Amino acid sequence: MILDSKIPEGPIADKWDKHKFDVKLVNPANKRKYDIIVVGTGLAGASAAATFGELGYNVKAFCFQDSPRRAHSIAAQGGINAAKNYQNDGDSVFRLFYDTVKGGDYRSREANVYRLAQVSVNIIDQCVAQGVPFARDYGGLLANRSFGGAQVSRTFYARGQTGQQLLLGAYSALNRQIAYGKVKMFPRTEMLDLVMVDGKARGIVVRNLITGAIESHSAHAVVLATGGYGNVFFLSTNAMGSNATAAWRAYKKGALFANPCFTQIHPTCIPVSGTYQSKLTLMSESLRNDGRVWVPKTVEMAQRLRKGEIRVADIAEADRDYYLERKYPAFGNLVPRDVASRNAKQVCDEGRGVGSSGLAVYLDFADAIKREGQPAIAAKYGNLFEMYAKITDENPYEIPMRIYPAVHYTMGGLWVDYNLMTTIPGLYAAGECNFSDHGANRLGASALMQGLADGYFVLPYTIGDYLAKQPNDKIPTSHPAFVEAEQAVIAKNNLLLSINGTRTVDDFHKELGLIMWEHCGMARNAEGLKFAKQQIRKLRDEFWRDVKVTGVNEELNQTLERANRVADFIELGELMVDDALNRNESCGGHFREESQTPENEALRDDENYAYVAAWEFTGVGNEPVLHKEALEFENVKLTQRSYK
């Protein structure tokens, strides 16, 4: 298989504009003859569905929640990047492009990233026009704040609720099209398979989560906007319902999966407090603008603190190690997420962690409150401080927050070309569902930017180029391909229900998560990865022999829902381990202990690994086939990352 990225010719600044002119168009009268399925209604899915409807296409949108408003995009807190340069501090489209490529540790496709930076300036205008209440400065202009991995302020925000406000904007645009009849919404419906006819994506098989009914839907193109796969680790910042089933079922039908080992560990999460937890809570990276990260300078002092012999207020300034400011004076607390996470793990491994478990560091706002006053800090981060206080029963205005890294975002995903099409014709992937823009590490505030860029400004052009070349004939769901896919879904559900084992679905999920966190988490090595692969294979065999799924299919059955998702997570976990074992270098969120500098920084191997690893499914239990898309850097020089 040859991976054709379809990157346009010419200077990078002209590629997207030239491509938009070169793509074929569907005239307005013909758009109403084409049907598009959109799976997922977060920022990427809702914006895509709304825009397709506005253009005149017939759209079916699916989400497993009871409303598109519950998509996980709502949980994003800190902001959205855009190269507006409102602060007049030296920002530009090229600088955003450069920071994103560098932040991703030079493992992303230049052309896609530059397009993202270009489109970012349009996103803000569109969202403001929709009524998104971005923060403003004293003169009424849109405010910006800084984020990790950048030395300019380019992040637009709505307190700590940016994702929620942006999703409300996209949701209102989606509702407009639902009211016009151009978008038909299917809530509480989960995609369980992709249907292909003549080698092209022509529909999906879904399960009605209320009634259990298995149904098929036909279309001329299918867009997956189903988010990432961070819940493979069980404990993550993702909503409990977030899953990888739609993307994974597409992978098993022939869509290549790219860079699955590139998972992001977010540095500012509330630490684990017990085995009863089902998820972790993110504290926005924006807090690192004013919060200072530190631990005690000595192990002895950290031990006394953990035992309760002293309080945090008893530790003098001279006895505090502001380790990020010490090691990275140019960026300080605003180093990228992967760098901040590894350093937090390192000081905790040294025995200098805080909290009862020792797996936490402080995020301290005392200096900012003294400098600006508590009301000013509350105006910036008030809802985040309230959330922290409710969860921990500690007042972060008086006591430093305790934070520790946790699984957050996945940079890997379905392989897509410049048009966001997968290796299956007619199947597109948008937002976190694809691998496209972030390389080995995503910069903060770039997820919202990519989701809206893909949905509002990229897919509307590129999907038209595909549809213009396709006949507008409709394939009925009585077609043998749909019947066969439905039967396969029903058979799998019946198998899960018939096992009647002794272990719960969550029990298997927790064991998988522990294997992944210990051996394919913040640090990986060959021995641990090989062990993890063996353990995951054993776990998969035991799952299909001993899982207990209660109830029946023909009803609301959340245990069956989770069983389907965990079965996919187990298979995906093995692929993640394969990818991590193959990539014998450290880059971004992928840290191989065998490949690091004397200062314990990630050490890339550009000669051997400057490529996108795209994996082809060959059957459950069989080794996947690796395909490589070479990455070419013509506008950014390949250098070892430094934030010092």
Side-chain angles (χ1 to χ4, degrees):
M1 180 183 293
I2 298 175
L3 293 176
D4 182 5
S5 60
K6 295 185 172 64
I7 297 173
E9 298 292 331
I12 195 167
D14 300 333
K15 288 182 186 294
W16 178 231
D17 288 336
K18 181 179 183 300
H19 191 62
K20 285 192 294 184
F21 181 77
D22 290 342
V23 296
K24 292 187 178 296
L25 303 177
V26 181
N27 79 55
N30 284 341
K31 285 189 174 78
R32 65 177 70 99
K33 300 176 183 178
Y34 289 96
D35 302 328
I36 302 175
I37 285 173
V38 178
V39 185
T41 56
L43 285 178
S47 59
T51 308
F52 294 153
E54 193 76 39
L55 289 171
Y57 296 109
N58 306 308
V59 183
K60 289 183 177 182
F62 298 80
C63 69
F64 63 76
Q65 301 93 344
D66 57 358
S67 165
R69 280 189 61 181
R70 292 188 183 273
H72 189 57
S73 299
I74 204 170
Q77 297 169 347
I80 176 172
N81 288 332
K84 285 287 196 181
N85 195 31
Y86 282 173
Q87 302 299 309
N88 199 28
D89 58 359
D91 200 13
S92 64
V93 168
F94 190 87
R95 186 175 292 278
L96 175 54
F97 156 70
Y98 172 80
D99 286 346
T100 305
V101 173
K102 177 184 176 183
D105 217 351
Y106 305 94
R107 290 296 176 262
S108 52
R109 201 188 276 154
E110 275 195 345
N112 288 59
V113 176
Y114 194 90
R115 175 177 63 188
L116 178 64
Q118 282 179 294
V119 168
S120 72
V121 299
N122 300 327
I123 295 171
I124 301 303
D125 296 338
Q126 170 122 350
C127 293
V128 169
Q130 289 175 336
V132 174
F134 287 118
R136 295 178 181 268
D137 64 20
Y138 75 98
L141 300 177
L142 296 183
N144 290 111
R145 58 189 176 198
S146 52
F147 249 63
Q151 291 179 302
V152 297
S153 295
R154 63 163 67 102
T155 304
F156 296 78
Y157 62 98
R159 295 186 76 194
Q161 305 169 351
T162 313
Q164 178 181 4
Q165 298 302 328
L166 289 172
L167 188 60
L168 287 173
Y171 177 64
S172 65
L174 178 62
N175 271 347
R176 168 184 161 95
Q177 295 308 313
I178 293 172
Y180 287 160
K182 295 305 296 179
V183 175
K184 187 174 182 181
M185 190 69 224
F186 294 84
R188 302 297 287 140
T189 307
E190 183 163 29
M191 173 183 161
L192 293 181
D193 209 354
L194 176 74
V195 180
M196 295 172 58
V197 178
D198 298 329
K200 301 174 184 177
R202 290 306 303 261
I204 61 174
V205 176
V206 301
R207 180 174 182 268
N208 183 312
L209 298 181
I210 303 298
T211 67
I214 304 299
E215 304 164 348
S216 290
H217 295 269
S218 173
H220 296 92
V222 177
V223 175
L224 300 185
T226 50
Y229 49 90
N231 272 353
V232 72
F233 290 88
F234 187 72
L235 284 179
S236 79
T237 66
N238 286 261
M240 281 301 293
S242 298
N243 65 86
T245 287
W248 191 249
R249 303 293 168 89
Y251 164 71
K252 295 173 83 168
K253 282 293 181 75
L256 300 194
F257 209 104
N259 299 336
C261 78
F262 286 169
T263 54
Q264 181 169 81
I265 314 296
H266 197 292
T268 54
C269 298
I270 297 178
V272 176
S273 57
T275 57
Y276 57 85
Q277 278 186 271
S278 58
K279 75 176 298 295
L280 297 173
T281 302
L282 168 71
M283 299 305 296
S284 170
E285 182 179 324
S286 63
L287 294 170
R288 289 197 279 147
N289 279 301
D290 290 298
R292 301 180 69 190
V293 180
W294 66 274
V295 291
K297 280 187 175 179
T298 65
V299 174
E300 179 189 6
M301 188 168 291
Q303 289 174 338
R304 293 182 63 200
L305 188 64
R306 291 196 293 270
K307 292 176 182 177
E309 296 175 1
I310 58 174
R311 298 175 305 163
V312 61
D314 297 329
I315 302 178
E317 190 72 14
D319 295 324
R320 302 180 178 190
D321 180 13
Y322 296 92
Y323 57 89
L324 292 179
E325 298 174 33
R326 171 174 56 82
K327 295 176 69 173
Y328 309 98
F331 282 75
N333 296 300
L334 291 175
V335 292
R337 292 173 174 178
D338 59 318
V339 177
S341 294
R342 278 197 298 275
N343 277 272
K345 181 180 185 298
Q346 182 179 341
V347 295
C348 290
D349 288 348
E350 292 170 0
R352 294 194 288 143
V354 300
S356 58
S357 67
L359 295 177
V361 300
Y362 284 130
L363 184 61
D364 195 338
F365 292 86
D367 287 351
I369 291 172
K370 183 178 180 181
R371 181 178 65 248
E372 300 183 26
Q374 184 171 319
I377 299 302
K380 291 181 184 178
Y381 313 113
N383 64 303
L384 297 173
F385 278 48
E386 291 168 11
M387 182 170 68
Y388 181 87
K390 286 180 180 178
I391 293 172
T392 65
D393 197 29
E394 295 177 1
N395 185 347
Y397 293 106
E398 299 174 356
I399 302 173
M401 289 184 180
R402 288 175 293 105
I403 58 170
Y404 193 69
V407 173
H408 179 52
Y409 187 92
T410 51
M411 285 75 65
L414 293 178
W415 184 92
V416 292
D417 61 18
Y418 190 72
N419 294 323
L420 304 186
M421 189 189 289
T422 69
T423 47
I424 296 176
L427 178 67
Y428 293 79
E432 191 179 358
C433 182
N434 71 34
F435 88 100
S436 176
D437 295 349
H438 306 297
N441 174 62
R442 177 177 67 79
L443 292 183
S446 286
L448 306 185
M449 175 174 62
Q450 186 208 348
L452 292 179
D454 288 355
Y456 281 138
F457 298 108
V458 179
L459 275 173
Y461 284 94
T462 60
I463 204 167
D465 183 57
Y466 171 76
L467 293 175
K469 303 168 188 174
Q470 306 302 315
N472 56 35
D473 61 310
K474 299 182 187 296
I475 295 179
T477 55
S478 58
H479 187 283
F482 283 91
V483 174
E484 181 183 348
E486 280 190 20
Q487 290 175 344
V489 166
I490 292 170
K492 187 170 187 178
N493 286 346
N494 288 339
L495 176 58
L496 286 167
L497 290 163
S498 69
I499 296 170
N500 197 30
T502 62
R503 293 183 62 183
T504 66
V505 174
D506 284 353
D507 193 30
F508 281 102
H509 196 178
K510 288 179 181 179
E511 184 174 343
L512 172 67
L514 186 62
I515 294 169
M516 295 299 296
W517 180 249
E518 291 295 327
H519 303 292
C520 197
M522 273 196 284
R524 300 108 185 248
N525 59 60
E527 182 181 356
L529 289 167
K530 290 174 182 176
F531 176 76
K533 185 177 176 71
Q534 294 173 355
Q535 294 303 108
I536 292 171
R537 289 199 158 192
K538 289 179 182 178
L539 188 68
R540 186 186 70 227
D541 292 342
E542 187 175 353
F543 176 89
W544 287 105
R545 186 176 64 250
D546 197 30
V547 71
K548 186 174 186 64
V549 181
T550 57
V552 297
N553 178 71
E554 292 76 19
E555 65 180 10
L556 174 67
N557 189 339
Q558 293 184 315
T559 304
L560 178 59
E561 291 174 37
R562 292 199 298 272
N564 263 302
R565 297 166 186 171
V566 171
D568 293 333
F569 277 142
I570 292 172
E571 294 173 6
L572 172 55
E574 185 176 350
L575 183 65
M576 293 169 67
V577 168
D578 286 336
D579 190 41
L581 193 56
N582 167 76
R583 191 171 285 276
N584 194 21
E585 65 163 351
S586 292
C587 56
H590 169 65
F591 190 75
R592 284 288 296 269
E593 293 175 347
E594 303 94 333
S595 184
Q596 53 184 306
T597 68
E599 295 81 25
N600 303 118
E601 302 290 348
L603 183 61
R604 292 196 326 271
D605 180 355
D606 295 329
E607 183 177 350
N608 294 302
Y609 295 100
Y611 61 75
V612 177
W615 296 89
E616 179 184 0
F617 179 71
T618 59
V620 176
N622 298 333
E623 296 299 321
V625 174
L626 173 62
H627 302 271
K628 301 177 182 179
E629 178 200 341
L631 291 170
E632 298 179 4
F633 295 91
E634 301 173 351
N635 301 275
V636 175
K637 183 181 179 182
L638 275 169
T639 58
Q640 198 64 36
R641 270 196 317 173
S642 174
Y643 290 94
K644 296 183 176 182

